[in-house]
Structure formats: C-alpha cells, structure tokens
Amino acid sequence: MTVQDVREILQAEVLYGEDMLDKPVESGCGADLMSDVLAFVKARTVLITGLINLHVVRTSEMVDISCIVFSRGKMPSEEILEEAAEAGIAVLATQMTTYQCCGELYKRGLPGTRRR
C-alpha cells in the first residue's frame, strides 16, 4: 500500500506531501498516546490520530512514520505542518473517526503494528 492508497481509502485531504504519495505504507496504528506509538510502531506505518500537537510529528519522525492522518475532521496548525515538512512526513486529514480509519485500512489488507 502507498500513502496515495491510504488517501483514497480514507477519503482524506492531503495537507502536506503531495510529492510523497508514492511512499510505502506497511502497517497502521491508531493512537492518541505517543508513548504507545513509541512502543508499538515501526517504520513505514500510517499513524491515525485525533491528537493535534507537535509531539505527534516529533514522535513520528523518531520511528520513521510514512504518513500522519488526523481523524475526526481535526486540522493541524501551520506550525505542525511546518514541522512535518522539515521531517519529511506526509500529513492527511479525514472526517472519519480513528476507529473507522483503522477498520477501512485493515479491511483492505493493511496489518496493524505489533509490540517490538
């Protein structure tokens, strides 16, 4: 799967990273606790979250996330988008809930992450 596939499945808007839509995505994670992301996520994962703060981008950068999807219609600030640009992480936004996003991606074959 690619970031473009995630965008289409989740009917998401690309907020940053139009040039990153071909990046591979090998697993998915829905979380609002960044400590869970650090514990469970591996590289080339899509992170789906309703948490809107800089820690999301900083944590994503640490574990080489392919894409961050902000759920429930939440929109990140320009500061968050600038941080994502510096980190080279695509950012999407969808009206779907985190639960719906995870279900749609899983239904289409994207596995979840496992404890390292």
Side-chain angles (χ1 to χ4, degrees):
M1 191 172 288
T2 65
V3 173
Q4 174 64 21
D5 296 324
V6 170
R7 187 198 67 74
E8 291 173 5
I9 292 166
L10 302 183
Q11 302 166 16
E13 176 185 355
V14 178
L15 303 179
Y16 173 77
E18 284 282 346
D19 59 334
M20 299 178 191
L21 297 177
D22 60 343
K23 283 177 88 171
V25 175
E26 296 177 1
S27 62
C29 176
D32 287 343
L33 291 173
M34 294 303 102
S35 59
D36 284 349
V37 173
L38 290 171
F40 291 100
V41 172
K42 55 189 179 219
R44 293 176 297 286
T45 295
V46 56
L47 171 60
I48 304 152
T49 186
L51 184 64
I52 304 284
N53 66 39
L54 286 172
H55 298 294
V56 172
V57 178
R58 292 177 182 149
T59 302
S60 297
E61 183 177 24
M62 290 172 60
V63 293
D64 197 24
I65 294 280
S66 293
C67 174
I68 300 167
V69 177
F70 291 109
S71 60
R72 301 190 313 265
K74 294 200 173 181
M75 288 296 195
S77 67
E78 281 302 315
E79 184 180 21
I80 291 171
L81 293 176
E82 289 169 9
E83 189 89 9
E86 288 178 27
I89 300 171
V91 179
L92 309 178
T94 183
Q95 294 297 315
M96 291 182 185
T97 67
T98 300
Y99 180 78
Q100 288 172 309
C101 291
C102 293
E104 290 299 322
L105 293 171
Y106 186 80
K107 184 168 61 175
R108 288 172 176 82
L110 188 68
T113 57
R114 300 192 193 289
R115 185 175 285 278
R116 292 184 199 183

